[in-house]
Amino acid sequence: MKCKLITATALLALLTFGCNEPDDGSYTAPISIYEKIDGQWNLASVKMVDEVAKANGVEPNEQNLSGFFNYEDFKIRFDVDAAGQPTSYEVLGDVPTLFPANGYYQLSSPFQQPSGSAVRIHLFSDAQKTQKTDELRLTAVPGSAQEMELQLVRTSSGTPFVSYVFRLTASN
Amino acid sequence: MKRFIQTIVLALLLLPNLANAQQEMGPVGPTWSFPVVYNYDEEVTWYFDLSTTQFAMGEDIYIWIWSPSEPDAGNWENSSDFAKLTYVSGMTWKFTLTPTLYFSMTPEAIAGSAGFWFRLKDDAGTKQSDVANIAYTPFSSFYTANELIRAYPTAPSIDKGLSILFNANLAPGFEGATSVHMHSGLNNWDLQVQYQSWIPEVVLKTKLKELGNGFYKMDLVPKEYFAAPDGYIMQNMNFLFVKDDWASTTPDQVLNAAEYVPPPPPVFSFFPQQISKRDFLGIIRTNNEPGIIKLLYTVTAGATQITGEINGSMTEIKGFVNLPTALQNVNATEIHVLVKDNTDRTISDTTIPLKTLD
């Protein structure tokens, strides 16, 4: 009986570890967010969020703006140079200006944060990126689905009171 | 030939059975009365929905009633004409009677009886319905209830009976009234039957029935009384009672119709709760009154004025004011917002502070 048990245990161990052969692969540079967001994006939807109402659990705290102000024509383009570094951005379409319609940009980090907090897209009016004009949050990074989400948050004394959430799809 | 003989034999065999058979016609469907409430010495019409029975449409049907008394006793196999129902339409029959006369009883005796119990049958008594009962709604509590008005039912339907009781003792100025009349309308006086005291037919039509001691009753079916066109949706009935030739009136009364669910009240709101001059200002109004389908706004920030209109429906009117574009080069700490509807009624007249952005 005891012998059988030992044999069974050994067999199980063999099955578990026997074929484990780690494959470390060869080194490739990780794909940065710049590569992922490079290009032109079309609007899927845009909504306005009442952050004060949301914080207090008051409904409704969202309004869909997709059907207003020509937002169906909204497009945004992020450019990168040959070295994969961020250069300029531009909003296309005859829509109201919630943030400067063109300028230069820089991410707070070229990679997603282990903490999960959204990477910031800092917007600048100059190519040297010294005059910051606004900031977007990259709340959903493009993956296999060619979709991303940008959030523009309005704050006063550090407290958000309104935000705009743009859902975008890659334009081919 | 053989089959023919068989058929005859079969028929002969069945014949005695048929002659003796009491054909059960099933339960009597809903019954109702007009007037809805009545005294036992008042003429009343009972209505019977027999769609639940096997009686044929328009068939001659008789009532055989044994409580509170049995007027047609002994005539089961040949009902008297006075017990015959009148066919109305569909599968509805009616029977008109004055209970005290029909049963030869005093109102008190009828009130103390077991109620109205009956079967419906054909003349020869070969077909009979199940035993059924006509419900009676007592209303004597009104005499001591200290209520000015009481309606049966409280929420009327356009094509069903309605009885309105009135205690004139509680209406100032109604002492010594010769007659009391109803001045009324459906749907906020949309369809009126005015008390035109100079037209005899109108005086008669609008006159309340006197119950004695300053109590009165009005019985009507709204659709007929107001001659409402087919498909008319009754939302409410407005009325007041008038003494003699407009010597005195009660305050306006209203009964909401049973099928009518009062609409939720309109709700107006701005969106969001806090705003900067770089944000859209949402203007939203839901559950609008009939005909309200547009809002016109005037937003003033310092010397800058933005006007526009928002189209929508009774369900919702929603739009956004493009402050980011309009106030791009304006320094303002607050905006004044005036919102009117398409009837030039002011919906909102308010000042909204603008948040300073970080």
Side-chain angles (χ1 to χ4, degrees):
Chain A
M1 181 61 206
K2 199 177 174 187
C3 186
K4 250 184 196 167
L5 192 70
I6 291 167
T7 314
T9 313
L11 204 66
L12 197 69
L14 204 69
L15 280 171
T16 314
F17 302 108
C19 301
N20 187 17
E21 196 181 286
D23 179 4
D24 295 332
S26 54
Y27 177 79
T28 43
I31 299 172
S32 78
I33 295 175
Y34 291 117
E35 290 176 66
K36 292 177 177 174
I37 69 170
D38 177 27
Q40 186 169 303
W41 298 82
N42 296 340
L43 188 89
S45 71
V46 56
K47 68 180 178 186
M48 186 176 180
V49 180
D50 182 339
E51 295 291 344
V52 178
K54 194 176 177 181
N56 293 316
V58 175
E59 300 274 354
N61 50 44
E62 290 185 4
Q63 292 291 342
N64 187 345
L65 295 178
S66 305
F68 294 91
F69 306 121
N70 286 328
Y71 264 112
E72 61 271 24
D73 294 340
F74 176 96
K75 291 175 179 58
I76 188 165
R77 200 188 67 242
F78 293 100
D79 297 322
V80 290
D81 62 17
Q85 290 306 299
T87 55
S88 60
Y89 78 92
E90 187 177 10
V91 171
L92 306 163
D94 182 21
V95 294
T97 315
L98 288 173
F99 57 91
N102 54 62
Y104 302 86
Y105 77 104
Q106 180 83 46
L107 299 182
S108 59
S109 159
F111 301 104
Q112 278 174 271
Q113 300 299 291
S115 66
S117 69
V119 168
R120 305 294 201 262
I121 305 175
H122 300 296
L123 306 180
F124 302 92
S125 58
D126 58 327
Q128 291 73 41
K129 299 175 187 171
T130 56
Q131 306 293 316
K132 191 179 166 190
T133 55
D134 222 321
E135 171 183 303
L136 299 171
R137 297 181 188 186
L138 184 59
T139 43
V141 181
S144 54
Q146 289 291 290
E147 293 170 359
M148 75 168 160
E149 188 180 277
L150 301 177
Q151 188 186 21
L152 171 68
V153 182
R154 299 274 196 239
T155 58
S156 185
S157 309
T159 308
F161 59 93
V162 166
S163 73
Y164 300 84
V165 178
F166 298 86
R167 289 199 65 84
L168 304 160
T169 54
S171 99
N172 297 311
Chain B
M1 189 59 198
K2 200 175 174 188
R3 184 170 291 171
F4 178 72
I5 292 168
Q6 277 178 349
T7 310
I8 296 288
V9 170
L10 197 68
L12 286 172
L13 279 172
L14 284 170
L15 203 59
N17 261 340
L18 271 176
N20 291 337
Q22 188 68 71
Q23 202 182 338
E24 296 295 342
M25 306 305 280
V28 174
T31 59
W32 63 96
S33 73
F34 184 84
V36 179
V37 297
Y38 52 96
N39 282 313
Y40 290 121
D41 56 3
E42 238 179 277
E43 185 176 275
V44 59
T45 300
W46 291 340
Y47 291 86
F48 307 86
D49 178 348
L50 301 187
S51 54
T52 54
T53 70
Q54 290 165 43
F55 285 112
M57 200 177 276
E59 189 172 346
D60 283 348
I61 297 177
Y62 295 79
I63 189 165
W64 184 61
I65 189 161
W66 63 88
S67 171
S69 73
E70 193 175 342
D72 208 15
N75 297 327
W76 175 262
E77 281 162 14
N78 183 13
S79 286
S80 304
D81 277 350
F82 67 73
K84 191 177 179 184
L85 271 54
T86 305
Y87 181 65
V88 182
S89 66
M91 278 296 281
T92 302
W93 281 256
K94 67 177 180 180
F95 185 65
T96 301
L97 73 160
T98 301
T100 47
L101 299 178
Y102 192 77
F103 299 108
S104 306
M105 290 169 79
T106 62
E108 294 73 26
I110 296 174
S113 75
F116 304 119
W117 290 95
F118 64 94
R119 281 185 199 267
L120 297 179
K121 60 188 282 292
D122 64 347
D123 183 39
T126 57
K127 302 174 181 177
Q128 67 172 19
S129 72
D130 292 357
V131 172
N133 172 256
I134 286 268
Y136 176 80
T137 307
F139 60 93
S140 56
S141 67
F142 181 69
Y143 296 124
T144 51
N146 227 33
E147 293 170 34
L148 181 69
I149 307 277
R150 186 191 282 181
Y152 290 92
T154 49
S157 296
I158 192 161
D159 55 356
K160 297 214 167 70
L162 168 66
S163 291
I164 305 171
L165 301 175
F166 171 49
N167 183 353
N169 304 305
L170 301 178
F174 274 68
E175 305 85 5
T178 309
S179 61
V180 174
H181 298 264
M182 184 169 80
H183 180 71
S184 57
L186 290 186
N187 296 0
N188 304 315
W189 304 96
D190 171 46
L191 210 55
Q192 300 185 13
V193 173
Q194 300 177 354
Y195 171 38
Q196 297 160 315
S197 56
W198 59 96
I199 304 174
E201 306 88 78
V202 174
V203 169
L204 202 63
K205 175 177 177 158
T206 57
K207 191 179 176 188
L208 274 70
K209 180 174 286 184
E210 202 173 345
L211 301 174
N213 300 318
F215 292 91
Y216 294 84
K217 180 164 73 97
M218 189 66 184
D219 299 306
L220 68 150
V221 175
K223 188 173 194 320
E224 294 162 13
Y225 188 86
F226 295 98
D230 287 339
Y232 192 85
I233 308 281
M234 174 181 174
Q235 299 176 350
N236 57 29
M237 178 180 151
N238 315 82
F239 63 99
L240 52 93
F241 292 132
V242 184
K243 176 196 176 185
D244 301 337
D245 190 359
W246 292 91
S248 229
T249 64
T250 64
D252 277 13
Q253 309 289 324
V254 63
L255 294 174
N256 277 324
E259 60 265 46
Y260 179 68
V261 181
V267 178
F268 177 81
S269 62
F270 290 112
F271 184 93
Q273 292 184 9
Q274 296 180 12
I275 195 167
S276 76
K277 68 168 197 158
R278 291 178 67 191
D279 293 309
F280 299 124
L281 172 66
I283 296 175
I284 305 161
R285 193 169 190 269
T286 53
N287 309 331
N288 295 290
E289 304 88 338
I292 305 300
I293 52 164
K294 189 193 280 189
L295 295 177
L296 300 104
Y297 61 83
T298 306
V299 178
T300 313
T304 305
Q305 199 172 68
I306 317 156
T307 59
E309 58 181 59
I310 304 167
N311 291 293
S313 65
M314 274 177 63
T315 312
E316 182 182 65
I317 305 173
K318 174 160 83 177
F320 294 87
V321 183
N322 186 354
L323 298 184
T325 303
L327 302 185
Q328 207 164 8
N329 302 310
V330 176
N331 281 321
T333 56
E334 60 179 35
I335 50 173
H336 178 260
V337 185
L338 175 67
V339 181
K340 292 189 169 198
D341 68 14
N342 49 320
T343 62
D344 204 34
R345 182 176 52 154
T346 298
I347 300 296
S348 177
D349 186 347
T350 187
T351 299
I352 299 173
L354 295 175
K355 300 289 279 184
T356 309
L357 288 168
D358 291 339

